[in-house]
Amino acid sequence: MKKLLMSMAAVLFALSLQAKVKPATQDQVVRVEPPCWWTGMKTELQLMIQGPGISDYEVSFAQKGLEVLDVHKADNPDFIFVDVEVAADAKEGVYDIVFKKGKESFSYPYTMGKKADGPRESFTTKDVIYLIVPDRFANGDPSNDSTEDTKEDAARDQAFGRHGGDIQGIIDHMDYIADLGATAIWMTPLLEDDARRGSYHGYACSDYYNIDSRFGDNALYKKMVDVAHENGVKVIMDIVTNHCGTEHWWMKEMPFEDWVHKNDPFITSNHMYSLALDPNASAADRKLMEEGWFSRGMPDMNLDNPYLLKYFQQWAVWWIEYSGLDGFRVDTYFYNEKVPMSYWCKAVTDEYPWFNIVGENWNANPDMVAYWQKDNPNPDGFNSNLPSIMDFPLRDAVNDALYLPLESDGEEGRRGRRPRGDIGAVYSIVARDFQYRNLSNMLLFFSNHDTPRLGDIFGQNYDKMKLSFAMLATMRGIPQMFYGDEMMFCIDNQNRDDGRLRMDFPGGWEGDAMDLFTQSGREAAASDPEWAGAADLHAYVKTLLNWRKGKDVIHSGKTMHFIPQDNTYAYFRYNDTDLVFVFINNSDKEVKLTWSRFAEINAGLGEGRDVVTGDAVTLSDDTVVPANTALVVEYTR
């Protein structure tokens, strides 16, 4: 009875306290981040609170369940960082943060939810990732093309302008992505980028906790994740920890003087990849690599500041829990301070051990890429804790091997180019697989939003495109493709031209002359010389990707390859029960297979199935493979 009376007294006291404390105005508490949190989290909660002179106030919680452990003052008196203990028995609901200074007091409501139950599966070798530039994919909601709270208005006629693609456009065409056979989507950043020009790409973030209003809002992003999951598609968020945009709200009023790296007079990073692992590098060079700005519009964040590092750790965890997304791709990974970023990766994967993160580590040398993968035996003892890395060396090799010049061949139009590449480039890079710690956590890709269009690199030749997709669907790692490559989107330029190569998807805007999202639209486009082979290539890619979904031998099997001969390349993917044979004829003439050359692995194999045609085949030394053709045959052992 005594305990009951004491409990009731405590509740009455809390209620009386709340009744006396007025809610804070926007002028008193400008923002609290993270904007909400959850019970049951491993990640310790530290609130960043902004308000005029907020550091002069005492801080507490009116209700039990949350307790202030410590308050850290920043260089700027308008910011405090509050360590909060979330009790093991804390309940979901609204908790009042009470600010008190003398007789003055006010409160701010803070919402606590409950952490979702159970692990999910992040992106793995079972998936094919479809990379989208949202502004250029589909305009599902024309009403948000330009918004009152952002500076840059839509200008679809400008290559570097905003074209109006949005989250609703992705939702509207999720069935297209799933039907193609892709099982994950990676979208270039959707967070607010309020740059005055060139904001369409999203890499100059101005608010880490809010979706750009020209794409939609946080609730719509969450809906997109749900719709993707309903269609068997995972969602990967593209994030940037290395830099923000000059229009970020904190650039007007930073919590700490070293929140970003000072840059006056302005100087860019030296962009020297090797400095992070070069044992002979000068400290001055390394400092410029880490602290120089990526560009004038992208201030370099200082991850050596422990409050900023904590901010980014919580922000990442917040988006996973809030939206239910399935993975991260981290932009410009090696530009970050490498040790703090290893702590960042560990914090995210400690909270979600199942979660995969891939970092952009742009280099053509396998050893310099391998350095960044978790648990790699680096000579300096550094462990990045980064699960997955991007296979830029193999990307470069495939681009070189299938390259054709962009020269007109008269009536042949987009076909019949003179080959220049040697498939041996691919063999040489795959032969260095021993340098990687975990081949299953390699992002396999041949193009993305930062590289020229594959169709242009391959001389606008549909046969070369098919060769690339045959390899993408059957080689080790996690395959990723760039939107539109399934129909050979081109811009007639083999050099990088960002604004143009990130082109609009025909059919994504009302009034478009053609709709390549539909089978009927693709068939109708065949009469246009520019799109003559698009429907056929799409069907080819769709067949391979949907076949790949159920092939464990591709997801986790071993590889055996043979030295290329006459610009052809043969390799096998195999396990105890299945085997897939891939033969790439990259030459401009038909060749005989020389099947007996592969006797050490194909002995005893009888009839197989051609994956593309579905026909039964029996291979032999007399089997003829046409020029610029891939043969993909599956067997049961």
Side-chain angles (χ1 to χ4, degrees):
M1 185 66 174
K2 184 177 180 180
K3 289 183 178 180
L4 178 60
L5 290 173
M6 290 177 64
S7 177
M8 290 176 64
V11 171
L12 289 171
F13 175 77
L15 290 173
S16 66
L17 180 63
Q18 293 176 58
K20 294 176 183 177
V21 179
K22 295 181 180 180
T25 65
Q26 181 64 33
D27 292 333
Q28 291 173 314
V29 178
V30 177
R31 62 172 47 83
V32 176
E33 293 180 342
C36 65
W37 201 244
W38 299 268
T39 63
M41 304 291 281
K42 296 178 182 177
T43 305
E44 295 178 348
L45 178 59
Q46 183 179 84
L47 299 177
M48 182 180 75
I49 303 176
Q50 181 188 16
I54 200 74
S55 61
D56 292 334
Y57 289 79
E58 296 177 3
V59 186
S60 62
F61 283 93
Q63 298 88 1
K64 290 185 176 180
L66 301 188
E67 180 182 350
V68 173
L69 294 179
D70 203 355
V71 177
H72 307 275
K73 294 186 178 183
D75 294 338
N76 187 332
D78 293 344
F79 287 87
I80 53 173
F81 291 79
V82 181
D83 295 337
V84 179
E85 181 178 48
V86 181
D89 59 352
K91 306 298 183 185
E92 300 174 68
V94 177
Y95 292 76
D96 292 306
I97 309 173
V98 178
F99 301 87
K100 189 175 186 300
K101 183 175 68 171
K103 295 182 178 180
E104 180 188 3
S105 61
F106 50 84
S107 65
Y108 183 91
Y110 195 75
T111 302
M112 293 290 295
K114 181 182 178 182
K115 183 180 180 180
D117 294 330
R120 302 191 297 276
E121 185 177 55
S122 192
F123 61 94
T124 70
T125 55
K126 298 176 184 178
D127 294 302
V128 174
I129 301 169
Y130 192 77
L131 167 57
I132 296 168
V133 178
D135 182 64
R136 308 300 170 86
F137 189 63
N139 188 354
D141 182 6
S143 71
N144 65 12
D145 290 358
S146 302
T147 55
E148 293 182 359
D149 62 343
T150 53
K151 298 179 180 68
E152 186 177 23
D153 291 339
R156 194 182 177 197
D157 60 331
Q158 298 177 17
F160 287 87
R162 295 195 77 100
H163 291 193
D166 49 32
I167 293 174
Q168 188 60 52
I170 297 170
I171 292 173
D172 292 345
H173 296 94
M174 197 69 71
D175 56 345
Y176 168 83
I177 297 167
D179 181 69
L180 181 64
T183 57
I185 50 175
W186 153 25
M187 293 146 295
T188 54
L190 288 161
L191 296 177
E192 182 188 277
D193 180 342
D194 201 20
R196 297 176 185 276
R197 293 181 298 277
S199 66
Y200 76 95
H201 57 67
Y203 284 102
C205 182
S206 55
D207 189 331
Y208 282 96
Y209 278 101
N210 281 295
I211 295 294
D212 195 296
S213 58
R214 291 159 294 190
F215 290 138
D217 58 23
N218 289 9
L220 190 63
Y221 182 87
K222 184 178 176 66
K223 177 183 176 181
M224 179 195 67
V225 173
D226 291 340
V227 171
H229 291 170
E230 290 167 3
N231 282 271
V233 175
K234 300 169 185 175
V235 177
I236 300 167
M237 177 179 264
D238 195 341
I239 61 173
V240 190
T241 52
N242 177 69
H243 54 263
C244 66
T246 51
E247 297 300 322
H248 196 288
W249 60 261
W250 60 39
M251 294 305 295
K252 299 181 180 69
E253 188 179 14
M254 287 186 287
F256 290 91
E257 292 180 4
D258 65 350
W259 197 249
V260 304
H261 289 120
K262 298 295 184 182
N263 201 343
D264 186 20
F266 175 79
I267 188 168
T268 62
S269 168
N270 53 32
H271 304 291
M272 185 59 68
Y273 184 100
S274 62
L275 290 170
L277 52 156
D278 180 359
N280 306 307
S282 77
D285 285 344
R286 186 176 291 116
K287 179 180 175 66
L288 181 56
M289 169 65 200
E290 292 183 349
E291 299 184 11
W293 288 19
F294 195 77
S295 72
R296 283 189 178 274
M298 297 177 176
D300 196 78
M301 305 308 302
N302 179 20
L303 295 181
D304 285 322
N305 182 304
Y307 299 99
L308 176 63
L309 178 60
K310 180 66 175 176
Y311 180 96
F312 276 152
Q313 289 169 335
Q314 289 183 138
W315 155 66
V317 168
W318 187 90
W319 273 106
I320 298 169
E321 191 64 29
Y322 168 79
S323 67
L325 62 87
D326 306 289
F328 284 143
R329 179 263 185 183
V330 183
D331 183 67
T332 54
Y333 189 89
F334 68 86
Y335 286 87
N336 293 279
E337 293 89 343
K338 68 180 187 181
V339 173
M341 274 306 291
S342 72
Y343 299 154
W344 180 89
C345 287
K346 188 175 187 305
V348 175
T349 53
D350 279 352
E351 187 68 63
Y352 304 105
W354 53 268
F355 196 82
N356 203 354
I357 306 169
V358 60
E360 181 190 27
N361 41 295
W362 197 328
N363 196 276
N365 298 314
D367 52 352
M368 290 195 174
V369 174
Y371 178 87
W372 295 100
Q373 191 170 40
K374 178 181 179 180
D375 296 333
N376 196 63
N378 296 320
D380 61 1
F382 172 70
N383 189 344
S384 71
N385 293 310
L386 175 69
S388 188
I389 51 180
M390 297 176 68
D391 196 347
F392 278 94
L394 188 51
R395 176 260 165 191
D396 289 356
V398 170
N399 276 243
D400 288 344
L402 304 186
Y403 170 82
L404 292 176
L406 267 179
E407 299 172 351
S408 175
D409 282 332
E411 295 182 0
E412 295 254 351
R414 295 183 121 185
R415 304 175 72 84
R417 310 302 186 185
R418 178 176 59 83
R420 186 185 292 176
D422 181 356
I423 199 67
V426 177
Y427 174 88
S428 296
I429 287 296
V430 176
R432 296 177 69 178
D433 275 358
F434 68 91
Q435 294 183 288
Y436 297 116
R437 175 72 176 183
N438 184 354
L439 289 171
S440 292
N441 253 345
M442 300 280 291
L443 193 73
L444 171 68
F445 75 107
F446 305 147
S447 70
N448 65 21
H449 61 297
D450 287 329
T451 66
R453 278 284 175 180
L454 275 187
D456 291 314
I457 293 296
F458 300 162
Q460 298 180 355
N461 184 300
Y462 284 108
D463 290 336
K464 295 294 186 183
M465 292 296 297
K466 288 182 177 180
L467 291 180
S468 73
F469 273 106
M471 288 187 281
L472 188 74
T474 58
M475 300 185 92
R476 84 293 184 273
I478 306 168
Q480 170 257 301
M481 60 180 290
F482 191 32
Y483 79 100
D485 280 351
E486 70 272 21
M487 286 176 282
M488 201 173 76
F489 282 14
C490 298
I491 62 169
D492 298 316
N493 187 350
Q494 291 186 319
N495 298 312
R496 180 172 169 178
D497 185 352
D498 287 357
R500 293 182 61 224
L501 70 88
R502 299 162 183 176
M503 60 195 293
D504 293 352
F505 199 118
W509 279 254
E510 186 176 353
D512 281 359
M514 64 179 66
D515 183 1
L516 297 184
F517 282 112
T518 66
Q519 177 66 26
S520 59
R522 292 189 290 272
E523 292 173 353
S527 60
D528 184 336
E530 183 179 1
W531 302 100
D536 177 63
L537 178 59
H538 181 279
Y540 182 87
V541 174
K542 177 179 175 180
T543 297
L544 282 174
L545 300 192
N546 279 285
W547 161 78
R548 187 188 185 282
K549 289 180 182 178
K551 297 303 293 183
D552 288 343
V553 66
I554 299 296
H555 306 158
S556 58
K558 296 179 181 179
T559 299
M560 180 184 291
H561 66 169
F562 292 78
I563 297 173
Q565 294 181 344
D566 300 324
N567 210 7
T568 69
Y569 179 40
Y571 61 91
F572 293 78
R573 299 299 310 283
Y574 65 99
N575 58 24
D576 292 340
T577 59
D578 294 279
L579 181 146
V580 175
F581 171 63
V582 183
F583 186 80
I584 305 295
N585 181 6
N586 192 41
S587 74
D588 58 357
K589 60 184 180 181
E590 65 178 31
V591 297
K592 285 193 175 182
L593 189 57
T594 61
W595 183 240
S596 58
R597 180 182 173 220
F598 317 127
E600 67 185 274
I601 190 170
N602 69 8
L605 292 179
E607 186 178 85
R609 190 186 79 92
D610 187 309
V611 169
V612 174
T613 67
D615 296 337
V617 293
T618 301
L619 302 179
S620 70
D621 288 349
D622 294 324
T623 299
V624 174
V625 181
N628 290 302
T629 299
L631 185 63
V632 182
V633 181
E634 62 178 346
Y635 297 87
T636 299
R637 283 150 66 99

